[in-house]
Amino acid sequence: MTGVPIMIIQLLLSLSFLVIIHECGHFFPAKWFKTRVEKFYLFFDPWFSIFRTKKGDTEYGIGWLPLGGYVKISGMVDESFDTEKLKEEPKPWEFRSKPAWQRLIIMLGGVTVNFIAGFLLFSLILGIWGEQYLPNNSVSEGIVTDSIAREMGLRDGDKILKVGEKEFTRFEPMVLRKQIGINNASTITVIRDGQQVSIPVAERWASDLSGNKFKDFDLIGPRALATIGSVEPDAPAQKAGILPGDQLISVNDQPAKYWHEYRKIQRPTKSDSMIIKVSRNQQEQSFPVLSRADGTIGIGVENNLRIDTTKYGFFEAIPAGVTKGMIFMGDYLKSLGNIFKGKTKASESLGGFASITKLFPKVWDWEQFIRITAVLSLILAVMNLLPIPGLDGGHVIFLLFEMVTGKKLSDKFVEKATMVGFFLLIALMVYANGLDVFRIFKK
């Protein structure tokens, strides 16, 4: 199975894992403090549930609406708005009867687990697969650019030295996007034609590169010489006399020194002759080649780029994973800050479930699945800490107010605030998913 179905399956598995561990973060502290938990649900269950069973005081189940999950704690104002019991005197097993510090631990449990899970998943990736990267100094032929990078001022053959003040030591196109879109880098320093050049970056690129507008563009890639790595047996190239190690020069007099140039050439779609010029032992030779019906001639790419791998032992992977998680959270908070400051358009940056689904690859890849789950875990933790009633962060603000002032906010106030926050969150969810729908029809 490949394509969209496998992407959706990965999304559901990832979100299910994250929701379960998040709710466990509330569930177990509640149990430790002898607070009754009435329900523990994966997904929401308005009107009916797919599965449910009861053990002790708690009903465990799976809802039909995959928008998250919840634990229903006795005596707590939450999104269920079941406030009838709040009219009665507090019971010893209810959330509202517990000391503020215990209630604070219960509320912080979910985001704490998500933070820990994100860090550990990054550590797991480093411990199993290590960290592969392309050293920038091995990209001897410079970069190849797409239309967006060229509009920014980059050119094929440029060798990037710095983006803003960050040294470009690893060839990672995402660094270019991140430094401009999140950290507002205003210059790109390159070597062009043997000279160091500072390319100014227009302000609009900070917004464009941090949103959805150009998210499908790679911007840059490593430029590679069109050196033939293999020739298929009995293929047109072999019959013409082309050998592995030959360096392409042109096809029908069109430059093809680099692989990206070769791929751009419009070759015949039916059996037809083309003239391929190559360099062999520093001498130019030309070969008439009768192409296949699809225009191919049976040659393979020689990968002359050096990929390095940093390996991590157990005790090295954990701090390295925490560092990666902290760097990601710092970038994510900066991107949120840019939205609030108006530097980035919310309509370009926000997305719903379709946008999240697109994060996953179209084939199953454990490393990518774990990496995206780690990212989503940290995002879930940060978002839940926002001081909005209805989120964990809203409850935390109320509890901190109580602990500082010694005055407990009334259940009625918390109920009203939670209702307002809940409808704001629903509106935001509708808006984000609406943006996904709009983008689909806009294409």
Side-chain angles (χ1 to χ4, degrees):
M1 185 185 296
T2 59
V4 175
I6 199 70
M7 294 167 71
I8 294 174
I9 289 171
Q10 290 179 90
L11 172 71
L12 291 174
L13 287 176
S14 179
L15 291 184
S16 297
F17 168 74
L18 295 177
V19 167
I20 288 172
I21 64 171
H22 179 90
E23 300 307 335
C24 281
H26 297 306
F27 177 83
F28 286 108
K31 288 290 189 180
W32 294 335
F33 296 131
K34 302 188 185 306
T35 309
R36 183 175 294 174
V37 180
E38 299 174 14
K39 286 186 172 184
F40 187 123
Y41 262 73
L42 170 64
F43 304 150
F44 293 110
D45 60 326
W47 304 296
F48 69 93
S49 58
I50 296 174
F51 165 82
R52 65 180 177 179
T53 184
K54 192 163 187 178
K55 184 176 181 181
D57 296 320
T58 307
E59 178 184 307
Y60 301 88
I62 300 175
W64 61 271
L65 188 60
L67 297 180
Y70 69 98
V71 289
K72 180 170 173 48
I73 300 174
S74 295
M76 176 181 168
V77 178
D78 57 19
E79 60 273 9
S80 69
F81 301 114
D82 183 10
T83 58
E84 286 302 312
K85 292 183 180 179
L86 299 180
K87 297 176 182 178
E88 303 173 3
E89 288 297 313
K91 306 296 190 300
W93 61 80
E94 289 186 335
F95 180 81
R96 56 183 171 155
S97 298
K98 303 302 177 181
W101 68 270
Q102 291 185 3
R103 284 179 278 139
L104 183 63
I105 290 174
I106 292 171
M107 293 315 306
L108 286 174
V111 296
T112 301
V113 170
N114 282 127
F115 278 127
I116 293 172
F119 296 144
L120 290 180
L121 289 174
F122 274 122
S123 301
L124 181 66
I125 293 168
L126 295 177
I128 296 176
W129 291 282
E131 188 174 22
Q132 287 192 337
Y133 63 94
L134 175 62
N136 190 42
N137 58 19
S138 74
V139 185
S140 58
E141 299 298 322
I143 64 173
V144 57
T145 57
D146 64 14
S147 59
I148 302 304
R150 287 192 293 276
E151 190 176 344
M152 290 170 58
L154 293 170
R155 296 291 179 265
D156 289 350
D158 285 349
K159 296 179 181 179
I160 300 177
L161 301 178
K162 291 195 302 184
V163 184
E165 296 303 315
K166 184 174 178 59
E167 301 286 341
F168 200 72
T169 55
R170 296 184 177 188
F171 196 93
E172 297 173 327
M174 186 54 68
V175 169
L176 180 66
R177 184 183 293 272
K178 184 178 79 172
Q179 287 300 112
I180 295 172
I182 296 177
N183 295 326
N184 300 303
S186 58
T187 59
I188 304 172
T189 306
V190 304
I191 297 293
R192 179 180 294 171
D193 300 326
Q195 301 293 320
Q196 183 169 307
V197 178
S198 181
I199 302 169
V201 178
E203 287 186 13
R204 73 179 182 90
W205 291 111
S207 174
D208 288 346
L209 294 184
S210 61
N212 282 279
K213 188 174 183 179
F214 298 125
K215 69 181 181 62
D216 294 328
F217 286 77
D218 293 327
L219 301 183
I220 61 171
R223 190 169 69 162
L225 290 170
T227 304
I228 297 172
S230 62
V231 179
E232 296 174 17
D234 297 322
Q238 187 190 56
K239 293 176 180 177
I242 294 175
L243 301 175
D246 286 349
Q247 167 69 58
L248 288 177
I249 297 175
S250 66
V251 176
N252 291 338
D253 292 326
Q254 298 180 68
K257 181 181 178 181
Y258 301 100
W259 282 117
H260 75 280
E261 293 175 333
Y262 176 75
R263 295 186 186 102
K264 287 179 181 177
I265 294 173
Q266 295 294 317
R267 292 180 291 281
T269 55
K270 60 181 181 178
S271 296
D272 200 355
S273 180
M274 64 178 79
I275 303 299
I276 294 183
K277 185 181 292 185
V278 305
S279 174
R280 180 185 298 170
N281 299 324
Q282 298 182 336
Q283 293 185 346
E284 293 186 2
Q285 297 187 39
S286 295
F287 298 92
V289 181
L290 189 66
S291 69
R292 293 167 172 163
D294 60 1
T296 63
I297 60 173
I299 58 175
V301 176
E302 178 180 276
N303 186 2
N304 48 21
L305 298 171
R306 187 186 83 248
I307 304 295
D308 287 353
T309 303
T310 302
K311 293 290 187 180
Y312 294 87
F314 177 80
F315 293 105
E316 296 171 314
I318 292 177
V322 172
T323 299
K324 276 200 167 294
M326 294 297 290
I327 290 172
F328 170 78
M329 281 200 302
D331 291 337
Y332 184 64
L333 289 171
K334 286 179 183 177
S335 66
L336 289 178
N338 286 339
I339 293 175
F340 288 117
K341 292 174 185 176
K343 293 182 178 180
T344 302
K345 296 179 182 177
S347 61
E348 289 293 337
S349 299
L350 294 178
F353 287 104
S355 293
I356 300 173
T357 303
K358 289 179 181 179
L359 296 174
F360 292 94
K362 293 182 179 180
V363 295
W364 188 273
D365 184 318
W366 274 110
E367 183 179 0
Q368 284 293 87
F369 175 77
I370 296 173
R371 187 184 307 280
I372 295 166
T373 302
V375 165
L376 292 178
S377 188
L378 294 178
I379 290 176
L380 181 62
V382 171
M383 293 301 291
N384 263 286
L385 271 181
L386 293 177
I388 300 173
L391 293 176
D392 296 345
H395 289 284
V396 168
I397 291 297
F398 296 152
L399 286 167
L400 289 176
F401 174 84
E402 178 183 342
M403 295 173 74
V404 171
T405 65
K407 297 178 180 180
K408 185 177 180 180
L409 295 169
S410 69
D411 290 337
K412 197 68 177 176
F413 173 82
V414 175
E415 177 191 346
K416 295 294 184 184
T418 301
M419 186 173 293
V420 171
F422 177 75
F423 284 112
L424 283 174
L425 292 172
I426 291 295
L428 180 61
M429 186 177 295
V430 170
Y431 177 65
N433 284 284
L435 288 174
D436 281 346
V437 174
F438 174 75
R439 289 168 191 144
I440 291 171
F441 284 101
K442 190 178 178 181
K443 289 182 178 180

